[in-house]
Amino acid sequence: MPSSPPSSPSSPSSRFTPAGLLRGPGRPAWLSPAVFRTEALAGLVVGLALIPEAISFSVIAGVDPKVGLFAACTMAMVLAFVGGRPAMISAATGAVALVIAPVVRQHGLGYLIATVILAGVFQIVLGALGVAKLMRFVPRSVMVGFVNALGILLFTAQIPNLRDVPWAVYPLVVGGLVLMVLFPRLTKAVPAPLVAIVILTVITVAAGIAVPTVGDKGKLPSSLPVPGLPDVPFTLHTLTVVAPYAFAMALVGLMESMMTAKLVDDLTDTPSDKSREAVGQGIANIVTGFFGGMGGCGMIGQTMINVKSGARTRLSTFLAGFFLLILCIVLGPVVSTIPMAALVAVMVLVSVGTFDWHSVKPTTLRRMPVGETAVMVITVIVVVATGNLSIGVVVGSLTAMVVFARRVAHLTGVTSVTDPDGTQVVYAVTGQLFFASSNDLVTRFDYANDPDKVVIDLSGTHVWDASSVAALDAIETKYAQRGKHVEIIGLNTSSARLHGELSGELTAGH
């Protein structure tokens, strides 16, 4: 399938107007018929794939299917204009559904809507404060683990659709996979997933094959959503009830959205505005809440379908939501006949394509540092065990920080040279001094046998924190107790400033 070539940050194809659909001097990025066709067909495939997902997440949240479907429509269409990552798909997600499910069970739909709106407000505030910049602290090993875990989750999510089903489901899934693998060899003008969905639907309807369909997942809506305020009392008590859930939803939503945006950045070799995306997520959730939707965030599975179908602009994002709305309301009876086997085949192929197979090759594992591999594996295990991508990313990032701290701490060295006359010893410290390395620093000196004058040369290191200053103070104190004088030299500007401000102030009595 023809697709727009990756563009650099300064190239015309990467410059979008606030409306999100223009490039260069007022020229639409999708003006080319080939690009428009690619974007439209990708949006149609994503719209179809969103239906069972949105319905399933509605069930998880304990709400009517239309609540999830409307959320998918509004999230995608709004973010096409206000989001910061072209070609990314946002809709109702499992992570958000898990967070807000207790609100529905304990307080009802009105409180759910209020939670979604407040979560959007939180996301706008967090986005304005620059929380999206924290993404630079997510290491590559966590990203690889995140992607691999996603591939596993996408695959395992299809297993319920393959249990206790008519035998005809299995050849249909296999047939769909074969179609999607072989069809691109004939032409890439039409997305292979769309071809597989159409052909399998025609076969099952024409032959009267009784298999589970999209309609079996839940009733599709028959009318447009109507905006309105949540049916809750506007009191302080309501705020205290929904605020904790709203804040949790805001954090989970931003985490998944930022990870999705970063993944698309890497796949397309184009940049995105993470702060704008964070604010856009908030705006989309507020709009979704006022239209009675359950809210959502970035969807990696559907985004992968969109990007791998060749989509690169905001048009595909908008059309995914628009087509979903049309499919549900206008073509609901037709969409209901789509066999779930077709959508299962699409998601299985996406899961296989998502998994980073290179990362688990024996040659790669032999060359990769053990700590990096451990971080990746831990991220995968936590995500798969919890079913929550955000928790896995947090645990993986914390593990990576511990591994890094241990590695850097072991690089700190201390060497000593005693003057020939025995009146002075010079200790040269190299490496980085921080809490993990400075604790061992105190043990690297010969307090009893050193001469009366001790020089500690820190020109080969940097003092990062109060723990390091406290360690230097402890060294001076141990020498002073033996009547020996310590001189610290070689501090760089920032280290000298920190040492000057904190030295002598970190022990009791000061």
Side-chain angles (χ1 to χ4, degrees), residues 129-195:
L129 292 175
V131 71
K133 295 178 181 177
L134 295 177
M135 280 301 300
R136 68 178 183 270
F137 294 108
V138 178
R140 181 186 178 279
S141 54
V142 175
M143 275 297 298
V144 173
F146 172 83
V147 169
N148 290 345
L150 172 65
I152 295 172
L153 288 180
L154 289 175
F155 182 84
T156 56
Q158 311 313 311
I159 294 178
N161 295 313
L162 299 174
R163 289 177 179 165
D164 301 322
V165 294
W167 67 269
V169 168
Y170 303 109
L172 286 172
V173 171
V174 173
L177 291 171
V178 172
L179 274 171
M180 287 184 287
V181 171
L182 298 181
F183 186 79
R185 299 182 181 181
L186 299 177
T187 178
K188 295 183 179 180
V190 181
L194 180 59
V195 174

Side-chain angles (χ1 to χ4, degrees), residues 396-413:
S397 297
L398 291 175
T399 304
M401 291 177 186
V402 172
V403 171
F404 174 76
R406 286 177 57 84
R407 184 181 302 165
V408 174
H410 291 155
L411 296 178
T412 303

Side-chain angles (χ1 to χ4, degrees), residues 243-266:
Y245 296 104
F247 191 66
M249 175 183 164
L251 293 179
V252 169
L254 286 181
M255 178 71 75
E256 293 215 21
S257 299
M258 294 303 103
M259 294 297 289
T260 304
K262 191 174 188 304
L263 182 59
V264 179
D265 291 351
D266 296 339

